[in-house]
Amino acid sequence: MKTLVIMDPIEGIKPYKDSSFAMMLAAQMRGHELYYCTAQALSFSNCRASATALPVRVFDQSPDYFQLGEAVTLALTDFAIILMRKDPPFDSDYLYATHLLDHAHAQGVVVANAPQALRDVNEKLFILQFPHCIAPTLVSAKASDIRAFWQEHGDIILKPLHAMGGAGIFRLKAQDPNVGVIIETLTQHGQHLIMAQRYLPEIAQGDKRILLIDGEAVPYCLARLAADGETRANLAAGGRGVVQPLSERDYWLAAQVGPKLKAMGLRFVGLDVIGDFITEINVTSPTCVREIDAATGLCIADQLLASLERGIATS
């Protein structure tokens, strides 16, 4: 079967930690005919959506970890599986790509994650669907609302709604003299909604990434620990990861959100959990597969590909 992976330029990834690369390795090991392209290579003409893609072979080594063939333009319906793995931000170009992928999804191609669900699920805001699973949270562009939330809780996190990897995140402690400029910067003087969450001191034990395949939790997570002097635990912000088994609370949280995510066609999801609460639901290009696999002997990407193959049989 033909499998297409849509991702950021392959020459720019770090294969030892890249989850999309893990999926490519798994697909290749399972005998798939593997193709790769960026989102800009999608097109629509003559009543069909297509991709100008490159055949690719991948190798679990560095530096020569991939080999590309000659580009070929194929209808999206020529593929059995399409993995949409472009990183955020979810901008207008990302949105347009999901609309083109709709054409393949509607004709029975297994697209992971489902294009409609990618449009519907903002990775910050979707937690509001599960109020019993989240810490006190505010979404507003108003400085007065944000200041009142800050005064109520004393120690809060502010974050933009479109970024990833810890970009743009601020911590406001009680009596912080920079509150005004931080709010102005993030909201652009009240023009943009942002999210405020009560600070969770349990982050000292790690910001856990829990992976779900078809709504079911992988039994190990990656607890990301912040570097000294840093609030953010994101690996992209210098955090380090420690693999650990899920707790009873982790399984409970996964069970609360998993069925809805599965029903929406979100085949591979990453929950961010601090202490007892979900802080984000990552659906565009969840990571941490390689780190968990290396510590446990699992092959999470293979589990995902097996699940997607079962989806082909039932589509």
Side-chain angles (χ1 to χ4, degrees):
M1 65 183 71
K2 289 185 174 69
T3 292
L4 174 65
V5 182
I6 303 170
M7 58 188 285
D8 292 317
I10 192 170
E11 62 271 16
I13 69 172
K14 298 177 180 177
Y16 67 91
K17 61 182 294 185
D18 192 279
S19 294
S20 300
F21 186 73
M23 295 174 192
M24 298 171 85
L25 286 170
Q28 183 173 276
M29 287 291 293
R30 296 181 71 86
H32 295 206
E33 188 178 336
L34 195 59
Y35 291 79
Y36 143 81
C37 73
T38 64
Q40 292 76 19
L42 300 179
S43 62
F44 187 94
S45 64
N46 297 322
C47 299
R48 74 173 193 174
S50 303
T52 301
L54 299 99
V56 58
R57 288 191 57 78
V58 287
F59 312 95
D60 197 4
Q61 62 187 33
S62 185
D64 300 318
Y65 57 90
F66 70 96
Q67 183 180 70
L68 300 177
E70 293 294 323
V72 58
T73 299
L74 297 170
L76 295 186
T77 51
D78 289 338
F79 299 99
I81 295 172
I82 297 176
L83 297 174
M84 178 51 165
R85 292 286 304 174
K86 183 191 179 303
D87 284 343
F90 194 105
D91 54 15
S92 57
D93 288 328
Y94 196 116
L95 176 67
Y96 304 149
T98 68
H99 283 296
L100 294 183
L101 290 172
D102 273 335
H103 293 272
H105 188 254
Q107 296 183 62
V109 179
V110 174
V111 182
N113 284 321
Q116 180 68 54
L118 290 174
R119 293 195 293 273
D120 289 347
V121 176
N122 175 277
E123 298 186 321
K124 306 292 192 298
L125 293 176
F126 199 65
I127 64 170
L128 305 180
Q129 300 283 329
F130 310 97
H132 58 301
C133 298
I134 66 175
T137 298
L138 168 76
V139 177
S140 180
K142 296 180 180 179
S144 58
D145 290 347
I146 299 165
R147 284 178 176 271
F149 185 83
W150 174 54
Q151 291 297 323
E152 178 183 359
H153 296 287
D155 194 350
I156 65 172
I157 294 292
L158 299 181
K159 60 176 74 172
L161 299 178
H162 64 280
M164 62 169 285
I169 291 179
F170 289 86
R171 180 182 177 184
L172 277 180
K173 298 182 182 180
Q175 307 304 317
D176 192 315
N178 299 303
V179 57
V181 69
I182 290 173
I183 294 174
E184 290 169 6
T185 298
L186 287 178
T187 67
Q188 291 293 289
H189 296 274
Q191 297 303 303
H192 299 297
L193 294 168
I194 66 169
M195 176 174 282
Q197 294 172 310
R198 188 185 76 199
Y199 177 74
L200 298 171
E202 295 88 349
I203 196 170
Q205 285 76 55
D207 179 354
K208 291 185 280 190
R209 169 58 56 83
I210 298 172
L211 299 176
L212 277 61
I213 297 174
D214 284 337
E216 297 291 329
V218 173
Y220 292 87
C221 66
L222 187 73
R224 295 161 295 177
L225 304 171
D228 290 342
E230 175 62 72
T231 296
R232 303 165 299 170
N234 308 73
L235 300 182
R240 64 181 179 88
V242 177
V243 175
Q244 56 188 225
L246 299 194
S247 69
E248 184 176 339
R249 176 70 176 184
D250 294 336
Y251 277 114
W252 183 85
L253 290 170
Q256 301 307 299
V257 304
K260 184 175 182 67
L261 298 173
K262 179 180 179 181
M264 295 177 70
L266 292 164
R267 310 294 299 272
F268 188 66
V269 174
L271 306 182
D272 287 350
V273 172
I274 300 174
D276 289 338
F277 302 108
I278 298 173
T279 60
E280 295 185 14
I281 298 177
N282 297 272
V283 301
T284 50
S285 57
T287 60
C288 300
V289 166
R290 297 284 269 174
E291 294 90 340
I292 296 173
D293 282 353
T296 63
L298 294 175
C299 189
I300 296 168
D302 188 70
Q303 296 176 41
L304 173 64
L305 266 295
S307 175
L308 298 181
E309 289 173 5
R310 290 193 293 272
I312 295 169
T314 59
S315 63

